[in-house]
Amino acid sequence: MDGAQLWQTLIQGVVQGITEFLPISSKSHLILVGSLLDRWFGTSSTATETVELIVGLHLGTLVATIVVYWKELWSLRTRHRLLLNVIVGSIPVAIIGFAFKDWLEQTLVSPLLVGLGLFVTASFLFAGQRLEINLLEMDQMKWPHALAVGCFQTLALFPGISRSGSTIAGGLMVGLTRQAATTFSFLLSVPAVGGVVLLKGIALRHSNGLAIGQLLFGAVISFAVGIVALRFLIRLVTQRKLHWFAWYCLLLGTVVTAWQLSP
């Protein structure tokens, strides 16, 4: 790993660690930052190398989620109703992800769609905070609530739409308390992100892309930064400050869309 690769991996690891948990779309930022870094360092990442790095970075933030929420995950062995809701909430993204896998991978790299998707994320965040009811704790959820949140999660398959933002906002809109909506969002992320990392990892196991050391370095950076970012998000959601991220998404979406539509 040369100096340019070191700095690129370090920066993208930090970006992934922050944006995977804050509701501002990690895919968007990885696409945009990756493009800018290639220009800055005069490099050109292949499609395989880009996917490999994204998988490595998501592995780091997946482990961060498990570390922060290990008590809740471990409790699923006795909280059968919650376990059922996690399974039900995971079904929509699995179906849509498999059915439209090839098409979604092609749209993932479109900066214009990233900009437009950020407007959708902002709308969800504003709506979630405005329409929150704060009635249900996680163990009071019924399967239709879980299915509704799971449907919100499928929207995050599109570039620019934040997984955490859409699921937290969806949880608030179906009646969950702020803490329950946040926790359930990240419980859903474990099978969703874990499944993608596993399948992509298997598909790439024989590729001749990035060195294993570079992937592990990126994973460690995204893990360390991710733990800090996730704890920060939990505090902000309970303080009813999702609108901060909505305004950020509106601003970034405007800049990216204008950039892509400019002659």
Side-chain angles (χ1 to χ4, degrees):
M1 182 166 54
D2 58 29
Q5 289 175 322
L6 176 66
W7 279 107
Q8 285 180 286
T9 306
L10 173 63
I11 293 170
Q12 288 185 291
V14 172
V15 169
Q16 168 66 14
I18 294 173
T19 60
E20 175 68 13
F21 299 114
L22 300 187
I24 53 179
S25 177
S26 64
K27 291 193 298 289
S28 303
H29 288 76
L30 288 177
I31 292 169
L32 298 173
V33 171
S35 177
L36 292 173
L37 289 175
D38 278 344
R39 291 187 181 186
W40 180 268
F41 288 102
T43 57
S44 180
S45 301
T46 66
T48 298
E49 289 173 341
T50 299
V51 173
E52 283 184 346
L53 183 58
I54 290 176
V55 169
L57 297 178
H58 276 81
L59 176 61
T61 47
L62 173 64
V63 176
T65 304
I66 293 171
V67 168
V68 172
Y69 283 109
W70 72 269
K71 290 183 180 178
E72 288 80 4
L73 290 166
W74 182 249
S75 73
L76 290 178
R77 72 193 195 282
T78 56
R79 298 166 75 180
H80 299 148
R81 182 174 183 175
L82 178 57
L83 175 60
L84 176 62
N85 284 333
V86 171
I87 294 172
V88 169
S90 300
I91 291 173
V93 75
I95 294 174
I96 300 299
F98 277 113
F100 299 96
K101 174 179 175 293
D102 294 336
W103 182 79
L104 288 167
E105 288 181 352
Q106 291 173 359
T107 64
L108 180 66
V109 296
S110 170
L112 177 58
L113 290 180
V114 166
L116 297 175
L118 286 166
F119 291 132
V120 177
T121 296
S123 300
F124 284 158
L125 295 175
F126 280 129
Q129 185 159 300
R130 178 64 63 88
L131 301 175
E132 64 176 310
I133 304 174
N134 279 301
L135 291 177
L136 303 173
E137 297 296 343
M138 274 201 307
D139 290 316
Q140 296 174 307
M141 289 177 62
K142 297 181 179 179
W143 71 264
H145 301 127
L147 183 61
V149 177
C151 289
F152 274 95
Q153 181 167 242
T154 64
L155 299 174
L157 293 169
F158 298 92
I161 302 181
S162 166
R163 196 211 64 81
S164 62
S166 59
T167 50
I168 291 173
L172 292 173
M173 285 189 273
V174 301
L176 296 180
T177 65
R178 296 171 201 159
Q179 183 175 357
T182 305
T183 301
F184 190 64
S185 167
F186 289 107
L187 291 182
L188 285 182
S189 78
V190 174
V193 177
V196 171
V197 168
L198 178 61
L199 292 175
K200 289 291 186 184
I202 293 173
L204 294 168
R205 68 187 185 281
H206 296 309
S207 66
N208 295 315
L210 301 177
I212 188 67
Q214 184 176 354
L215 295 176
L216 290 176
F217 176 66
V220 169
I221 296 299
S222 65
F223 164 77
V225 176
I227 286 184
V228 177
L230 179 51
R231 295 191 185 281
F232 177 65
L233 173 66
I234 294 170
R235 185 164 65 250
L236 286 184
V237 173
T238 58
Q239 294 173 354
R240 206 168 182 266
K241 293 179 178 178
L242 279 180
H243 62 284
W244 287 7
F245 304 108
W247 287 115
Y248 172 83
C249 289
L250 278 179
L251 176 61
L252 183 59
T254 300
V255 171
V256 173
T257 303
W259 166 41
Q260 288 298 300
L261 295 179
S262 62

